Amino acid sequence: MDAVRTIPDLCRRLISFALRRCRASDDLCRVSVALAASQLAGSPVVRISISDTGAACCLEEFRDLRVADPRIFAEKWDGTLAVRTTGASDEEVHYYNLNLKEGGTDNMLTRLPSIAKNGMRFSGTEVCLSVSEKFEVLLGEIKQFIEKVLILNIPNIAFELVVQHENVYKSCCGDTFLPSESMPSPFSASNVERLKYGFEDYILKRRNNLDNNLGLSSNAMEHLRTGMGSICSSKISERQNPGLTVDAVIIISEFSDQTSPCSMECGHQTQVLYFKDFLPSTISKSSLIALKSIDWKSYGLTLGNVMDQGGGAYLEWENLPPHAHIDVIFHCYQAEVNFPPSKLKVLSERSLLKKAAKLALDDMKEKHSGILLSDRALKIQSHAPDLARTLAGLILSSNDMEFQGECLSLLGLQMGVGADIVEECVLDKIDAVIVLNDRKPERCKEPVPFLFEDDCLQEMDFEDECEEGEDSYDFLDI
Amino acid sequence: MECLRESSLTFFSDQRRCCADVLPAAEARARIEVAVLGFLRTLTSRDPAISHLPLINRTSSNSRVNHGLLTDISWIFLSHSFCTRSLMRANAAKAFIRVWKVMEMCYQILIQEKKVTQRELYYKLLCTSSEYFTSQLQVNKAIQDTVALLRCSRYSLGIMASSRGLVAGRLLLQEPNKEIVDCCSCGSSGYPISGDLNLLEKLIMKTDARYIILVEKHAIFQRLVDDHVFNQIPSILITAKGYPDIATRFFLHRMSQNFPHLPILALVDWNPAGLAILCTFKFGSIGMGLEAFRYACNVKWLGLRGSDMELIPEESFTPLKPKDIGIAKSLMSSKLLQDKYQEELAFMTETGRRAEIEALYFHGYDYLGKYIAKKIVQVDYI
């Protein structure tokens, strides 16, 4: 693991350890983060306590903990961690002091006297430290981290963030019991479904906050369209049980209030959120670049730059409508493979990311008719109203009532209905075919019927379709 | 000749032939209605789809030549090779829509029992659908697509040909119940050939001419009419003023049917384009291959030909342009030309020169009449 660079970084690392311990446990667990701010000789001091009710701490994780910048020890932290941990079958709670300042291959571990549990069965860990850091900064970073973890919607873990500031207790974030309220059957849901609900909540909350900060009513909100995809690579070897899995969720939101500053701020950039093994992480550069090679154009999207800046990965779009926004999240983890191994190929994380993104886009297209139409389909669709108008004209200008009746009955309309209704009906049907066609991959398309199906057509050879401008008549063609 | 063609014997080549039927208005309307119903049925079926339009291919690869077995007349016809117009090809979607728009216009024209020219149709479409129709050529092509789709003649769709052709000379024409027109006294413009094929069909023709002289250019036609050449050589003069339109071809064909013993002699410029015009009258064309085969005539090439080159002063020759070479190549490869024509064409391209009929005026303004007369007397036509 990388060395930690900042105090917030350290806190994130310690919370990640707590999460891991909770995931390792089968029980319902809680992760609590408590911050107590006070002053010591005029400087701000924050006492941090990160505790969890997961499996016992194995101390291995602490042995590998490193601090990148030694100045942290001089300015912000003395390097000590007070650890208390116990396993369910342990009779005692073990106390340790860790000193990261000592450095070397082994962080200095001091065993302290244990405390008997007197027959009580519980497991958990608490890690405490005191730092000189701006309280607001620390709180902000920790909150952001927890909000991100909440996206995963891990059903057996609850979070609690408690803040004590100058002797005033205040509970922030509340007891957010996962999963989110909108998700049905959280325990039986798949990881990708949990990710989807969590991500939707996260986005709505973030938008609400943004709007509230700007003093706008949160009524001017949007319509979310979500697509999700999950793909698993096969086992690398017989001995390995889990396979590499990538879940992807893509959300397109539209601001109904197009004048909202939020719509202008969020704009045409997408931050790519990335999780690795159930923890917020950063996407690798190669994976980010791999995203560029997805055929976005077939979904009507044009990807401009892919940027890796200041701890975030961003996608920049070129042709998004001004009031639309795209959010993307990936989660890469090891999971049990349920499919027979012969059906899967061994794929790299980059390939999996691309495939998962494509599955998510296809899923969105499937669920929301008319969205993510390829450039080609949009171009064809632009002609649909003219075709509908022409056909309506043909039907209604007829003086043969039998013909008119038959046409209208095919459309499910009554005689005497207005031209605009006929036009709209024909247009809907044409649009539906265009959208349906756009969803199918090229190779699956069935042969389209010709207008006059007669036997002699079947036998004949068909030349290529006549393209515009190809009809160059030679001189003999009058 | 006619009854041979209409005989029930279908030779192999005829089975391969695709033609556009000449239909009364009600049947043409019915075909359009079948198209609409077919499209709607597919659109509203359980597996809805947008049908492609199958059009008979009007390309040289789909053209065949019928060399008359029992007659001297050969013609170009089109066979059963199709191209498609489809909405689902994004770049060709407009062409698809254009066919439907023409069908809509024609349907309305047929209901009103009117006839319109292509020019009138162009302006109508320009006003209602300017996004789709930006030029007369596009309108004409869309009309030909409609003909190729519905396989009925352009005239059946209510569209008249342009009236570009002129006729003059020893010909009496009479529309039913109207006055007889003497084409000798029509002035230097001659009698304009109507674009209404129905009207042309009903014309009663009488002549005492011995020849029909087909003239490529209007200026030459006027000169010959002014000089009353048709009296010096008892003849009928006819011109399409350039590219042969269907009405002029139709009229020529009618004359050839009414007066089968009158040889048709063509007077064209010495260049591949002139020969191509002659061939269009003689064999028909690919562009209107579904209809034009009906109007092929046994046209003979009077001049200008290779043997006339000595009559033309050196200064009157100009080099062949790249476009001329292109036309020559396409004529050569078309399998249409009989040997003598091929020789003439080869000579033309080898010398790399072209000349206009007007070059003969070097010998005097009345030389043309004498030139024609001499050639006819010597039976110098191929």
Side-chain angles (χ1 to χ4, degrees):
Chain A
M1 258 192 167
D2 298 336
V4 297
R5 297 188 173 280
T6 61
I7 298 296
D9 227 5
L10 175 65
C11 294
R12 282 191 282 267
R13 188 68 61 86
L14 294 173
I15 298 173
S16 306
F17 291 164
L19 272 169
R20 267 214 306 248
R21 289 190 289 267
C22 291
R23 281 197 59 232
S25 160
D26 288 330
D27 295 329
L28 296 176
C29 300
R30 174 187 44 78
V31 173
S32 289
V33 180
L35 302 174
S38 57
Q39 293 273 340
L40 189 68
S43 340
V45 169
V46 182
R47 192 176 136 75
I48 306 168
S49 155
I50 297 166
S51 60
D52 67 88
T53 58
C57 169
C58 66
L59 295 180
E60 284 294 327
E61 51 207 6
F62 291 108
R63 286 201 227 278
D64 298 328
L65 198 55
R66 295 273 173 274
V67 171
D69 187 356
R71 282 180 300 173
I72 287 179
F73 296 125
E75 292 161 14
K76 297 192 188 257
W77 178 43
D78 63 1
T80 56
L81 292 173
V83 180
R84 288 189 286 184
T85 186
T86 183
S89 49
D90 286 350
E91 289 177 2
E92 297 169 320
V93 177
H94 308 285
Y95 279 70
Y96 304 97
N97 251 2
L98 237 72
N99 196 332
L100 268 65
K101 199 172 168 186
E102 299 300 316
T105 51
D106 217 348
N107 286 328
M108 192 65 167
L109 182 73
T110 316
R111 247 194 116 97
L112 297 172
S114 321
I115 293 180
K117 280 159 80 171
N118 295 327
M120 284 171 65
R121 284 184 69 83
F122 60 91
S123 70
T125 305
E126 186 188 11
V127 178
C128 296
L129 63 155
S130 284
V131 299
S132 291
E133 184 66 275
K134 275 219 182 79
F135 176 75
E136 287 75 21
V137 169
L138 203 54
L139 179 62
E141 298 260 1
I142 290 174
K143 250 173 104 170
Q144 244 188 45
F145 186 74
I146 292 177
E147 276 171 357
K148 279 205 177 137
V149 175
L150 288 178
I151 296 175
L152 288 173
N153 254 330
I154 306 167
N156 70 321
I157 302 180
F159 280 89
E160 186 185 31
L161 181 59
V162 179
V163 164
Q164 179 191 355
H165 196 199
E166 315 217 278
N167 293 324
V168 178
Y169 276 97
K170 198 167 74 175
S171 181
C172 299
C173 294
D175 267 334
T176 313
F177 180 72
L178 300 167
S180 64
E181 283 154 14
S182 52
M183 185 164 100
S185 4
F187 286 91
S188 53
S190 61
N191 284 330
V192 68
E193 283 169 338
R194 293 189 205 130
L195 185 68
K196 166 185 155 350
Y197 283 103
F199 197 37
E200 282 174 346
D201 273 358
Y202 174 80
I203 286 176
L204 285 171
K205 218 180 283 180
R206 189 184 65 190
R207 296 277 157 78
N208 273 331
N209 285 344
L210 200 55
D211 263 8
N212 283 334
N213 286 343
L214 296 164
L216 295 167
S217 93
S218 57
N219 285 336
M221 251 326 132
E222 67 273 73
H223 197 42
L224 293 187
R225 273 174 267 204
T226 314
M228 63 184 188
S230 180
I231 182 145
C232 194
S233 176
S234 78
K235 305 182 202 181
I236 309 288
S237 72
E238 274 308 312
R239 275 176 295 140
Q240 249 177 306
N241 281 327
L244 193 62
T245 303
V246 172
D247 293 341
V249 176
I250 297 180
I251 296 182
I252 294 185
S253 41
E254 279 174 76
F255 295 94
S256 49
D257 178 6
Q258 294 177 28
T259 57
S260 153
C262 182
S263 70
M264 292 184 279
E265 251 190 58
C266 304
H268 55 268
Q269 267 196 3
T270 291
Q271 188 182 13
V272 179
L273 294 179
Y274 179 80
F275 283 70
K276 180 100 185 166
D277 293 321
F278 295 89
L279 291 169
S281 180
T282 39
I283 190 169
S284 71
K285 203 149 193 161
S286 65
S287 294
L288 195 60
I289 292 173
L291 291 181
K292 245 195 148 168
S293 59
I294 293 174
D295 185 13
W296 298 101
K297 271 204 176 319
S298 68
Y299 298 98
L301 298 169
T302 312
L303 182 61
N305 283 328
V306 162
M307 299 171 304
D308 200 353
Q309 40 171 243
Y314 290 87
L315 303 176
E316 213 169 45
W317 307 100
E318 278 176 15
N319 64 341
L320 273 192
H323 47 279
H325 187 68
I326 303 182
D327 288 284
V328 174
I329 192 168
F330 292 102
H331 181 198
C332 181
Y333 57 98
Q334 301 287 346
E336 283 295 328
V337 177
N338 292 323
F339 310 106
S342 56
K343 282 200 175 174
L344 301 171
K345 293 194 288 189
V346 177
L347 295 164
S348 67
E349 185 183 315
R350 280 172 45 198
S351 297
L352 289 173
L353 269 167
K354 280 170 58 179
K355 283 183 194 294
K358 192 173 180 311
L359 285 172
L361 288 164
D362 288 340
D363 179 54
M364 192 188 302
K365 246 179 128 150
E366 191 65 45
K367 291 203 291 238
H368 302 281
S369 170
I371 199 176
L372 293 179
L373 285 180
S374 64
D375 278 350
R376 185 188 143 271
L378 285 171
K379 195 170 176 184
I380 294 170
Q381 219 181 31
S382 68
H383 296 302
D386 288 304
L387 181 60
R389 195 171 310 124
T390 308
L391 284 161
L394 272 161
I395 297 168
L396 295 172
S397 59
S398 175
N399 53 9
D400 181 345
M401 288 304 118
E402 210 178 296
F403 163 70
Q404 220 181 82
E406 204 178 332
C407 290
L408 292 173
S409 120
L410 279 170
L411 294 168
L413 297 170
Q414 304 282 355
M415 287 288 286
V417 80
D420 47 353
I421 295 179
V422 179
E423 216 178 291
E424 206 183 304
C425 179
V426 174
L427 180 59
D428 282 345
K429 295 196 188 305
I430 293 173
D431 271 341
V433 172
I434 294 170
V435 168
L436 192 67
N437 241 280
D438 200 41
R439 286 201 212 135
K440 297 183 205 162
E442 281 297 325
R443 61 179 181 278
C444 292
K445 288 193 177 145
E446 290 111 35
V448 175
F450 287 86
L451 191 57
F452 302 115
E453 290 279 10
D454 63 352
D455 294 330
C456 100
L457 274 180
Q458 310 299 341
E459 292 158 16
M460 303 302 169
D461 297 317
F462 288 95
E463 308 228 344
D464 290 334
E465 292 179 26
C466 318
E467 293 278 357
E468 295 268 339
E470 251 184 40
D471 304 292
S472 51
Y473 281 60
D474 74 357
F475 191 90
L476 288 178
D477 300 339
I478 308 294
Chain B
M1 228 188 327
E2 201 49 39
C3 47
L4 272 172
R5 245 199 260 168
E6 283 167 4
S7 118
S8 57
L9 285 172
T10 357
F11 293 106
F12 176 72
S13 58
D14 284 350
Q15 286 167 353
R16 304 281 305 165
R17 185 185 71 202
C18 269
C19 64
D21 303 319
V22 180
L23 299 172
E27 278 187 49
R29 277 204 319 265
R31 284 206 189 172
I32 297 177
E33 286 167 3
V34 165
V36 174
L37 282 168
F39 187 86
L40 289 177
R41 277 197 197 103
T42 309
L43 189 65
T44 56
S45 68
R46 254 179 344 149
D47 292 315
I50 296 171
S51 315
H52 297 322
L53 301 176
L55 314 178
I56 305 265
N57 239 335
R58 287 136 289 144
T59 54
S60 46
S61 54
N62 190 30
S63 70
R64 314 265 186 274
V65 182
N66 183 345
H67 293 289
L69 291 171
L70 300 167
T71 70
D72 286 335
I73 301 177
S74 306
W75 61 86
I76 295 171
F77 65 94
L78 296 179
S79 191
H80 294 270
S81 161
F82 291 83
C83 71
T84 53
R85 294 255 181 256
S86 169
L87 183 69
M88 305 314 275
R89 297 282 296 250
N91 292 331
K94 276 191 171 177
F96 176 89
I97 306 262
R98 278 197 279 269
V99 178
W100 281 105
K101 288 205 173 274
V102 166
M103 273 203 280
E104 188 193 3
M105 282 283 162
C106 291
Y107 192 65
Q108 287 162 3
I109 291 163
L110 290 168
I111 288 176
Q112 292 168 46
E113 294 179 353
K114 283 181 129 67
K115 297 256 181 279
V116 301
T117 62
Q118 290 191 128
R119 194 77 184 156
E120 284 173 305
L121 201 60
Y122 163 62
Y123 276 105
K124 195 79 199 290
L125 289 166
L126 195 63
C127 295
T128 56
S129 319
S130 58
E131 194 196 322
Y132 292 92
F133 295 97
T134 53
S135 69
Q136 180 71 59
L137 187 63
Q138 257 180 2
V139 172
N140 296 355
K141 280 187 182 177
I143 292 169
Q144 287 306 317
D145 281 354
T146 310
V147 166
L149 172 73
L150 301 174
R151 299 206 231 165
C152 68
S153 72
R154 192 173 63 184
Y155 188 75
S156 310
L157 292 173
I159 302 170
M160 286 201 294
S162 62
S163 56
R164 251 201 340 245
L166 301 167
V167 71
R170 305 195 65 81
L171 179 67
L172 297 173
L173 294 171
Q174 188 188 19
E175 287 177 51
N177 305 319
K178 296 253 175 82
E179 303 221 332
I180 296 177
V181 172
D182 182 358
C183 296
C184 278
S185 15
C186 286
S188 60
S189 315
Y191 173 83
I193 298 170
S194 164
D196 186 338
L197 300 184
N198 219 12
L199 193 153
L200 294 180
E201 179 83 47
K202 295 188 184 126
L203 277 176
I204 302 163
M205 299 176 174
K206 291 201 182 95
T207 189
D208 63 358
R210 303 271 302 282
Y211 308 97
I212 299 173
I213 301 176
L214 176 60
V215 184
E216 178 188 344
K217 298 192 302 200
H218 187 203
I220 305 296
F221 177 85
Q222 277 192 310
R223 161 86 10 242
L224 294 172
V225 169
D226 274 345
D227 291 351
H228 293 273
V229 162
F230 45 76
N231 285 330
Q232 296 159 26
I233 313 154
S235 55
I236 303 169
L237 301 171
I238 182 170
T239 182
K241 295 194 278 189
Y243 307 146
D245 56 292
I246 271 285
T248 310
R249 290 190 238 176
F250 182 90
F251 189 88
L252 180 66
H253 178 73
R254 274 219 70 216
M255 282 205 295
S256 72
Q257 283 183 299
N258 279 344
F259 318 127
H261 303 295
L262 258 52
I264 305 171
L265 310 172
L267 186 62
V268 299
D269 284 343
W270 171 250
N271 60 33
L275 179 57
I277 285 173
L278 191 161
C279 289
T280 305
F281 278 108
K282 194 174 167 71
F283 303 116
S285 64
I286 294 172
M288 289 197 69
L290 292 170
E291 303 183 53
F293 68 91
R294 291 194 182 94
Y295 314 127
C297 300
N298 189 3
V299 176
K300 298 191 199 298
W301 191 358
L302 185 77
L304 292 169
R305 296 206 326 271
S307 49
D308 301 323
M309 294 302 102
E310 57 200 25
L311 301 168
I312 295 173
E314 216 29 61
E315 304 77 44
S316 299
F317 284 105
T318 54
L320 286 179
K321 299 194 193 106
K323 189 176 173 190
D324 295 322
I325 308 283
I327 295 168
K329 277 200 177 124
S330 115
L331 278 170
M332 294 276 215
S333 62
S334 68
K335 300 166 277 184
L336 277 176
L337 303 180
Q338 63 240 52
D339 293 337
K340 287 193 179 152
Y341 281 42
Q342 284 195 30
E343 283 165 23
E344 294 277 349
L345 190 58
F347 180 58
M348 209 189 278
T349 48
E350 271 158 30
T351 52
R353 301 191 303 180
R354 47 183 280 166
E356 297 187 339
I357 301 168
E358 283 92 332
L360 292 173
Y361 291 149
F362 170 75
H363 302 281
Y365 289 119
D366 56 351
Y367 183 74
L368 197 52
K370 292 180 195 157
Y371 163 84
I372 294 171
K374 187 172 175 197
K375 285 222 144 179
I376 287 174
V377 158
Q378 290 176 343
V379 195
D380 184 12
Y381 38 82
I382 50 175

